[in-house]
Amino acid sequence: MIHVSHYTALTRLPQILNSGHLLPHMDGHVETPLVLFSAHPFWEPTATKPCRTDNALVSLKFWEYRDLFGCIRFALPADDSRLLTWREVCQQAGLSRVDRRKLEAAARKRGGDPKQWFAVPAAIPLADMSLEILSINEWRTVS
């Protein structure tokens, strides 16, 4: 079965497990709360967030992010009816074509591919997904 994944830091796992759901959040660009997913087979490049040190934001390489924060992903079947494509998300959120293209261009510079992006505009129960933790460079399913 083909899946899409929500990628995040291992440090966020306790908060996610306590809620029992992946909760939608608002991005500074799209005003609709979303749970973001990617069809990238290993790690969505845009999921590697910058780190704040001494009042500066530092871009991290994937391995630096992995070593500092740990990596997890929640996999959802790619045919899940709740999933919207990136273009559908932008249309529903009223994001202009110009702004969408700016976001996509910035993401491509980081290795992202908007054709691989999907979202759900609602909380998703953890029971609907599988959880995997990255151990070195191998994903391991956690029950």
Side-chain angles (χ1 to χ4, degrees):
M1 177 179 285
I2 299 173
H3 289 86
V4 294
S5 297
H6 174 82
Y7 295 93
T8 193
L10 177 61
T11 55
R12 297 200 61 233
L13 187 58
Q15 174 188 359
I16 294 168
L17 292 176
N18 284 338
S19 76
H21 293 78
L22 278 183
L23 299 173
H25 69 278
M26 287 181 52
D27 182 290
H29 305 289
V30 179
E31 294 181 9
T32 303
L34 301 167
V35 179
L36 300 170
F37 289 88
S38 172
H40 194 285
F42 186 75
W43 178 260
E44 168 56 44
T46 61
T48 304
K49 304 299 182 208
C51 181
R52 183 168 293 284
T53 59
D54 298 327
N55 297 327
L57 275 180
V58 177
S59 294
L60 299 175
K61 293 183 176 21
F62 166 73
W63 63 268
E64 292 171 318
Y65 183 87
R66 178 199 66 199
D67 293 350
L68 281 171
F69 304 109
C71 298
I72 61 172
R73 67 183 180 186
F74 291 88
L76 186 68
D79 62 357
D80 190 290
S81 63
R82 295 170 287 190
L83 286 167
L84 301 173
T85 65
W86 171 242
R87 192 166 290 226
E88 290 170 331
V89 167
C90 292
Q91 288 170 345
Q92 283 190 9
L95 191 66
S96 75
R97 188 177 198 172
V98 170
D99 288 341
R100 178 176 56 87
R101 287 189 173 164
K102 285 180 186 176
L103 285 174
E104 292 170 354
R108 283 187 185 96
K109 286 181 182 177
R110 295 176 56 201
D113 181 358
K115 292 179 196 148
Q116 294 182 321
W117 298 347
F118 300 87
V120 174
I124 305 170
L126 296 181
D128 294 355
M129 298 172 286
S130 61
L131 168 62
E132 295 177 307
I133 295 178
L134 188 63
S135 176
I136 311 287
N137 284 319
E138 182 181 339
W139 288 103
R140 297 179 189 247
T141 303
V142 177
S143 56

